[in-house]
């Protein structure tokens, strides 16, 4: 084994495997992929990782984290040979390192923050400074998120402008996640029996909530 190979990290080896697969003479399937064609795999691998995390299975977490990591490396390798993109995984890592250092002045700078709430407030302020073109706290939120996850995200934004409880009935006090899950399942079941798409219904309400948030801003 060469000295260069010995010095390679396991991450370097994976990046090299990806490069070989997509190089001339490599895998025909890999060579044909595009950012768009890989979207479904990224979504699938992400949900499989969530399942592994929730199951608490160490080996499955390692495998699924690897699958998600591989998707990131795949997209970066694609970009490195795509005219107009021309960046690689090192550029991605460098951008993320700079972003995390900049977003944590209380760790890498002189700013002193004592609580998680203070950290979140500074994080939001730094995001605004980094993206001055955004005119709303809603800008950048992916609308393709599952409706419940999107609802969770938007209610957090609504809370910041004082709208989180407007036009909503007073909720009961829940005893457990299992109870909440049962109620949600019951709502979906009832809607289904009446020919109502629960996912669509929630998305319609969330669009209205977003209009309210933008108006309040």
């Amino acid at each position: 084994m060469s000295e260069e190979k010995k010095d390679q990290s396991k991450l370097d080896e994976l990046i090299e495997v990806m490069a070989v697969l997509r190089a001339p003479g490599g895998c025909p399937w890999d060579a044909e992929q595009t950012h768009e064609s890989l979207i479904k795999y990224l979504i699938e691998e992400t949900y499989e990782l969530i399942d592994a995390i929730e199951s608490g299975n160490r080996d499955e977490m390692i495998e699924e984290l690897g699958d998600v990591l591989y998707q990131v490396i795949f997209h970066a390798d694609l970009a490195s040979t795509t005219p107009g993109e021309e960046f690689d995984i090192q550029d991605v890592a460098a951008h993320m390192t700079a972003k995390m250092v900049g977003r944590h002045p209380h760790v890498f700078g002189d700013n002193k923050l004592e609580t998680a709430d203070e950290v979140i407030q500074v994080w939001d302020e730094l995001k605004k400074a980094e993206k001055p073109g955004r005119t709303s706290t809603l800008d950048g939120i992916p609308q393709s998120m599952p409706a419940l996850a999107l609802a969770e995200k938007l209610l957090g934004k609504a809370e910041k402008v004082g709208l989180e409880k407007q036009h909503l009935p007073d909720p009961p006090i829940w005893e457990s996640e299992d109870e909440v899950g049962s109620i949600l399942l019951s709502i979906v079941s009832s809607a289904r029996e009446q020919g109502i798409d629960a996912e669509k219904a929630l998305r319609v309400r969330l669009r209205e909530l977003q209009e309210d948030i933008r108006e309040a801003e």
Side-chain angles (χ1 to χ4, degrees), residues 47 141-142 145-155 199 202 206:
Y47 281 121
I141 295 178
M145 290 172 66
L148 279 177
L150 182 59
E152 182 88 17
K153 186 79 170 178
L154 293 177
L155 287 172
E199 173 87 5
L202 181 54
L206 292 178

Side-chain angles (χ1 to χ4, degrees), residues 44-73:
E44 180 180 340
E45 300 298 359
T46 300
Y47 281 121
E48 288 182 3
L49 172 57
I50 292 171
D51 285 345
I53 291 172
E54 291 180 343
S55 74
N57 186 299
R58 174 185 180 276
D59 292 338
E60 287 184 4
M61 283 181 62
I62 291 174
E63 178 180 354
E64 301 306 339
L65 279 166
D67 286 342
V68 172
L69 174 62
Y70 189 74
Q71 290 298 310
V72 174
I73 293 172

Side-chain angles (χ1 to χ4, degrees), residues 23-98:
C27 174
W29 185 88
D30 288 80
E32 290 179 357
Q33 299 313 302
T34 65
H35 292 303
E36 291 74 20
S37 72
L38 291 173
I39 289 175
K40 61 183 178 182
Y41 301 108
L42 177 59
I43 294 172
E44 180 180 340
E45 300 298 359
T46 300
Y47 281 121
E48 288 182 3
L49 172 57
I50 292 171
D51 285 345
I53 291 172
E54 291 180 343
S55 74
N57 186 299
R58 174 185 180 276
D59 292 338
E60 287 184 4
M61 283 181 62
I62 291 174
E63 178 180 354
E64 301 306 339
L65 279 166
D67 286 342
V68 172
L69 174 62
Y70 189 74
Q71 290 298 310
V72 174
I73 293 172
F74 206 144
H75 281 279
D77 192 80
L78 264 169
S80 69
T81 58
T82 301
E85 295 180 359
E86 297 162 344
F87 63 83
D88 61 16
I89 193 67
Q90 300 301 332
D91 296 311
V92 173
H95 177 83
M96 199 62 197
T97 297

Side-chain angles (χ1 to χ4, degrees), residues 202-214:
L202 181 54
R203 286 192 177 280
V204 169
R205 183 63 189 90
L206 292 178
R207 282 196 290 273
E208 295 171 355
L209 176 60
Q210 291 184 80
E211 291 174 2
D212 292 342
I213 291 172
R214 290 183 186 279

Side-chain angles (χ1 to χ4, degrees), residues 99-148:
K99 181 177 179 179
M100 288 300 100
V101 171
R103 293 274 183 92
H104 292 82
H106 54 292
V107 178
F108 300 101
D110 298 328
N111 197 359
K112 299 299 180 184
L113 302 176
E114 302 296 335
T115 69
D117 286 341
E118 290 176 331
V119 171
I120 292 172
Q121 181 178 351
V122 170
W123 181 282
D124 288 341
E125 291 171 355
L126 289 170
K127 282 179 67 176
K128 289 179 182 177
E130 291 171 5
K131 301 181 184 295
R134 292 185 174 180
T135 59
S136 169
T137 186
L138 301 177
D139 292 343
I141 295 178
Q143 299 298 306
S144 58
M145 290 172 66
L148 279 177

Side-chain angles (χ1 to χ4, degrees), residues 20-28:
V20 171
L21 287 173
R22 294 199 63 253
C27 174

